[in-house]
Amino acid sequence: MQEMCWEPETGSFPVSAWTPREEQALLMPYLHLVKRAVSHLRSQVGTVVGREDLEQIGLLGLLEALRRYGQPDEHFEFFAFKRIRGAILDELRRQDWRPRQLRQQANEFNHHVRQRTNALGRVPSESELSQSMGLPVEKVRELSYASLAEAMHSFEALLERSGGEWGDEDSFGQLELQLTLKKVLAGLKPREQLLLSLYYQHELNMKEIALVLNLTESRVCQLHKQCLASLNSQLADYL
């Protein structure tokens, strides 16, 4: 692996050892990782941020990954995907991409879902929410994703603080937090454990998870949000 070390004096990485043409050639085989990361994160941002904008941020993440890592080898793809995804998340947080109005609508949506759940004795379907709220199904889905995003943000912040990713046991930096996470996750139902594993470890998007679990995309979103609400509640001391 080519040595590309952090330079504390400048607070940046050294200039690439490759020419722009060489860098482009090295990046080409890994461009699919950018599209994969964007597809994975679309459920967090819905239609608020354009796909092209996310892909541009992802490309910068891929370039940074190449310059950090050096000459790509069989391990580079895993490293690059994490960097791409991290770059997109960092930029979304920096820009505070969720407008205040959307956050307020998401809170109102959650309140309405709770009311309908109490009235029906079960979680309402996407079509039922569309009818009761007088909104198109597409808008209901957007609000559902927006409400999920807050819980996801808290959980992912917890994973970052622990120094690792879901399922990446060797990289957890804090033993106490690692053990607590394992204990709490083990207490979830098997389907919930599978859902989180598919999303955080195997990096499937909501649509792909829906196919695996034989559920609607909306139901996967609801289950995901319920899982994270439970996890965030039990891990409140670490958040």
Side-chain angles (χ1 to χ4, degrees), residues 18-134:
W18 299 295
T19 66
R21 184 183 295 275
E22 290 172 333
E23 279 191 336
Q24 184 177 10
L26 288 168
L27 291 176
M28 286 298 292
Y30 303 100
L31 293 180
H32 69 281
L33 297 177
V34 174
K35 294 186 180 296
R36 183 174 137 209
V38 170
S39 176
H40 187 236
L41 292 170
R42 286 290 287 177
S43 56
Q44 292 198 43
V45 300
T47 59
V48 178
V49 182
R51 177 177 290 272
E52 290 185 0
D53 292 333
L54 293 179
E55 288 181 352
Q56 286 298 317
I57 299 168
L59 282 172
L60 293 176
L62 175 59
L63 178 60
E64 180 190 349
L66 178 68
R67 291 178 175 178
R68 278 177 174 265
Y69 195 90
Q71 187 68 36
D73 57 20
E74 66 273 16
H75 303 295
F76 176 70
E77 186 163 324
F78 177 82
F79 176 84
F81 184 82
K82 299 300 181 185
R83 290 292 176 184
I84 293 166
R85 191 174 182 279
I88 295 173
L89 285 172
D90 287 346
E91 184 63 17
L92 290 174
R93 291 165 186 160
R94 188 185 69 80
Q95 293 186 8
D96 190 18
W97 58 269
R98 282 167 292 177
R100 180 179 300 177
Q101 182 181 7
L102 181 60
R103 290 199 296 268
Q104 181 178 350
Q105 289 176 343
N107 290 333
E108 293 171 354
F109 173 80
N110 288 336
H111 179 67
H112 183 82
V113 171
R114 285 193 295 270
Q115 286 184 324
R116 296 304 300 157
T117 299
N118 291 334
L120 296 171
R122 58 173 173 80
V123 178
S125 68
E126 196 173 67
S127 59
E128 288 173 331
L129 289 172
S130 173
Q131 184 176 3
S132 63
M133 299 181 74

